Amino acid sequence: MTAAAGVDTALQRLRDAAARLSGRQVTFMEVCGTHTMSIARLGLKALFPPNVQLVSGPGCPVCVTPQGVIDRMVALARVPGATVCTFGDMLRVPGTESSLERERASGARIRVVYSPLEALAHAEAHPGEQVIFLGVGFETTAPAIAQTLRQAKAKRVANFTAAVAGKVVPPALHALLSDDDVALDGLLCPGHVSVIIGAKVYGFIPAEFGVPCAVAGFEAAEILLGLASLCEQIAAGRATVENLYREWVRPEGNRRAQAVIDEVLLTADAEWRGIGVIPLSGYSLRPAWRDFDAFERFGIPEMHAPEPRGCRCGEVLKGVTQPRDCGIFGTHCTPQHPVGPCMVSSEGSCAAEFKYGGR
Ligand code: SF4
Ligand code: SF4
């Protein structure tokens, strides 16, 4: 079957399933930022049946990193002798007073890297620098961070640390679904995260909340089939986790990656932008790995800061406000001059709407 025929078939299946809902309006959430971007780029929303609405969720690790953590990272960039290594999306996220990009313009040594291993290699090649890797990400990034720290320990690289600020997705979904402001009829679960954690972990969502889930890939047909599955489950009066991404996602996930994470990191309560503190939803270094904790080594305390004025990123991340409902969308807040992180990150809902919103 050609790709176009695959999309047509998937779309027909979604339309048939939506028609079986007898006019009931349903609201689904795509949890993952790459789904958000794919849906916007492919203009898929224009194809949806009128009774199917899709809202974006807290699926971009950059967007959910709270302002206080950005401020801590800015503080790390100001440590004398430090070289901060970060994924590119973090550079322009505004903190309270500054951003990593502004620190770089003021002379801080900030390097964009594509992996934590690249940061470790830089540390080995530059023993005179204190190299700090900013560990922002979900379960997808955690194995690479943990593996890099194992290597740093084995090689005794003394000038390498990590600012671990990673997040764990399932507790955030639990918090979202427990929130009275949030009313969702189904979840399109993340693809890459599920490769690591598996599909089974979402079982609590149908069991506790009666909300169906579909794990789906990122192609148009895969996304449409995921939504069709959600409609079909509702029409049949059932709620399960349907794994439509079987070539990559196993029920139990990637056990080896989970073991590496588990050796180095533990889960702790963590603050999510707009959602607040969620129990056991963030990564932290295990006590045996604290020597590699950048915040501890350089004495950077916990910081908490309010959202920028006028910014509704928190509500956007919960799916209760759409990007265009933010009063400063496209005026004060644009990709060139972002006020909130959802406009910065390549996976952010506001950036997706700004770039592809006309489709
Ligand atoms: S890392 Fe993968 S699963 Fe996580 S938000 Fe990005 S695309 Fe989605
Ligand atoms: S438009 Fe800007 S300020 Fe408003 S929610 Fe989006 S990113 Fe936040």
Side-chain angles (χ1 to χ4, degrees), residues 189-264:
C189 294
H192 301 135
V193 162
S194 305
V195 173
I196 305 297
I197 65 177
K200 236 169 45 189
V201 288
Y202 302 113
F204 72 91
I205 297 173
E208 199 175 323
F209 299 98
V211 170
C213 296
V215 180
F218 300 97
E219 300 297 330
E222 294 173 314
I223 293 167
L224 294 169
L225 285 176
L227 299 176
S229 159
L230 297 176
C231 290
E232 284 164 2
Q233 292 190 51
I234 294 170
R238 66 189 167 88
T240 58
V241 179
E242 192 164 0
N243 181 5
L244 302 165
Y245 204 33
R246 281 166 199 261
E247 65 273 41
W248 295 104
V249 176
R250 284 183 246 140
E252 71 289 353
N254 182 333
R255 286 257 163 81
R256 280 177 62 185
Q258 291 165 13
V260 173
I261 296 174
D262 204 41
E263 181 188 331
V264 180

Side-chain angles (χ1 to χ4, degrees), residues 9 12 34 43 47 50 54 65 115 118 128 153 214 217 222 225 236-237 243 268 283 329-330 340-341:
T9 308
Q12 194 53 50
T34 300
L47 304 176
L54 188 62
T65 301
S115 72
E118 198 183 328
K153 195 175 209 176
E222 294 173 314
L225 285 176
N243 181 5
Y283 287 116
F329 176 92

Side-chain angles (χ1 to χ4, degrees), residues 310-314 316 323 326-330 333 338-344 350:
C311 173
R312 297 181 70 184
C313 284
V316 168
C326 175
I328 55 177
F329 176 92
C333 185
V339 173
C342 301
M343 192 59 97
V344 179
C350 296

Side-chain angles (χ1 to χ4, degrees), residues 32-34 59-61 138 140 190-193 218 347:
C32 156
T34 300
C60 164
F138 290 141
T140 340
H192 301 135
V193 162
F218 300 97
E347 293 183 353

Side-chain angles (χ1 to χ4, degrees), residues 307-328:
E307 304 294 311
R309 271 185 62 189
C311 173
R312 297 181 70 184
C313 284
E315 293 160 60
V316 168
L317 291 168
K318 289 202 293 188
V320 296
T321 289
Q322 298 309 299
R324 282 182 189 275
D325 296 333
C326 175
I328 55 177

